[in-house]
Every structure is written in structure tokens, then in C-alpha cells.
Amino acid sequence: MDNLRKTWPLYRSMLRAFSSENKVKTKFDFKLAENISENINSGMLKARHFPGALDVGCVTLPDDLMQAATIALAGFPQKNLEQDAQKLSSYINSRHPPMEENEYKEKLAEVVETVKQEETIDPMSPGLVEEERKRLLDSRRSKVYEKMKRETYKWKAIDYNEYKSAAYVVARLAPDFASLTKLLREIKKRDPEFCPVHLLDFGSGVGSSMCG
């Protein structure tokens, strides 16, 4: 345990780095109430003290969570793991959710209609020999396939083995824990009596919500 404890600063700095690198920059679109805007402009109300401002301070990983992460990561090379965690983090952040079935059908119908409009000969025109009709229909299907391939996001599940799971811990443990902690603190700020008894941890992750 003493040897593991000596590695805590190393992993803590690595996890903290990923926490800061994965901050999400969000653009808010809102309009202040007229009286609030006037009070801010006149100096009667300071923006930093506005009741809607989010300010929960710096979130740090608790020691028991840090210890669990250190034990889980102890058998992996730190430098390689850090590099691969960065790649995994970038890939995760670039992903989009898969299309819903109805969305896919709507997009497919749109693409089919576009391809049809670009055709100079309707494959279903009377008088076409069967061989020519088949060639035109095959060409349409091919164009639809290629266009759908270009214009729709191809979602693919990530196959997590032991090493990739460790990289996920490095990439997502700190930012996920920080997000959940800030969320719960903001709820507590608005409702001082907020004291949940049950917790449903729904989704994919490392269960950092259990330590929030």
C-alpha cells in the first residue's frame, strides 16, 4: 500500500490534467429580465453575485477514489496509458449518437428522392428492356448507398478490453466526477433540503457517481 500511495501524485496529476483538458465550452443563448439587466448596468447588482451564476469551486478527487484508480491502473505503463487515454478521449468527444430508426428512414427517403431527381431515365419507364431496367435500378441503389454513407454518421460501438478500459478511467474518471459533483452541489444550493436516499446510476462509465 505504501508503494501505491507513492504513485498517487503521479496518477493524480495525470487524472487532473485530463479533467482540465476535457472542459466543455458551452455557448449560452439567453435573455435577462429587463429589471435585472438594468440593475447590472447601473451597478446595483454585480454579475458575479447574480443568483443564477454557477460557482462551485474546484472539485478534487477524494482519496478513496484516487486509491481505487491507482490500484486499477498500477499494472499499466503510465506514459503509454496517458497518450492512449488522450486519443480515446478525443475520439469519444468527436462521436455523435446513432440515428434513431425513424430518423434513418426519413434520411433514406430524402436521399432516394434526391437521386431520383438526378436521373435522366426513369428505370420504371415503360418500354425499357429488363436488362436495362435492372442496370438503372442497380445504379440507383449504388448511388443511394454512397450518398447515405457520406451524409450519415456511422456509429460504431467501442470494444473495451482491459487496457482500453484503463485508458477510459484515465480519460473520464476526473471530468465525470467533477461534472456530477458540480451538478449535485448546484441542486443543493437551490434546494438546501435536497438529500437523496436512492441513486440510479444509468449509463456507461466507471461508477464515479457512487463517490459523489
Side-chain angles (χ1 to χ4, degrees):
M1 182 59 69
D2 289 340
N3 289 335
L4 281 175
R5 188 175 293 276
K6 291 178 182 178
T7 64
W8 283 20
L10 179 65
Y11 286 107
R12 187 183 296 275
S13 62
M14 180 169 65
L15 293 169
R16 184 179 296 162
F18 275 90
S19 179
S20 60
E21 289 173 4
N22 284 280
K23 287 182 179 178
V24 177
K25 296 182 179 179
T26 306
K27 293 183 178 180
F28 296 98
D29 184 12
F30 64 93
K31 183 178 181 180
L32 291 174
E34 186 174 345
N35 63 318
I36 297 295
S37 181
E38 290 176 354
N39 288 339
I40 291 178
N41 292 332
S42 66
M44 293 178 61
L45 179 64
K46 300 296 183 182
R48 69 177 61 183
H49 299 307
F50 181 70
L54 305 181
D55 182 18
V56 293
C58 179
V59 177
T60 58
L61 290 173
D63 282 345
D64 56 349
L65 188 56
M66 193 68 237
Q67 179 181 341
T70 301
I71 293 173
L73 302 174
F76 300 96
Q78 188 264 338
K79 185 175 181 180
N80 292 345
L81 188 61
E82 185 173 359
Q83 293 174 347
D84 291 333
Q86 182 61 66
K87 293 177 183 177
L88 178 61
S89 179
S90 298
Y91 175 66
I92 290 174
N93 291 334
S94 70
R95 281 160 61 89
H96 302 285
M99 295 181 73
E100 297 290 344
E101 184 177 357
N102 64 314
E103 293 177 323
Y104 184 85
K105 288 181 178 179
E106 290 175 2
K107 180 63 179 179
L108 179 59
E110 177 187 321
V111 168
V112 169
E113 188 60 31
T114 300
V115 171
K116 283 183 177 180
Q117 292 176 1
E118 295 173 351
E119 293 174 343
T120 56
I121 302 176
D122 184 356
M124 304 311 295
S125 298
L128 284 177
V129 296
E130 193 60 30
E131 184 177 341
E132 179 65 7
R133 190 188 313 280
K134 182 178 182 304
R135 185 188 70 80
L136 291 173
L137 287 173
D138 287 344
S139 175
R140 175 188 290 177
R141 280 191 289 268
S142 177
K143 290 177 181 178
V144 168
Y145 172 79
E146 291 299 326
K147 192 171 181 63
M148 286 291 290
K149 187 177 179 181
R150 290 194 306 269
E151 298 183 7
T152 58
Y153 178 74
K154 188 177 181 181
W155 186 88
K156 183 179 180 182
I158 301 176
D159 184 17
Y160 284 99
N161 53 26
E162 186 177 3
Y163 180 78
K164 192 170 289 186
S165 297
Y168 185 93
V169 170
V170 174
R172 297 305 315 166
L173 177 62
D176 285 354
F177 177 80
S179 297
L180 289 167
T181 301
K182 289 182 177 182
L183 173 65
L184 293 173
R185 287 183 183 177
E186 283 299 319
I187 295 175
K188 185 71 173 179
K189 183 192 298 184
R190 287 158 175 73
D191 181 8
E193 296 183 2
F194 174 69
C195 185
V197 178
H198 302 288
L199 171 68
L200 173 62
D201 187 1
F202 179 78
S204 60
V206 295
S208 55
S209 62
M210 300 297 293
C211 299

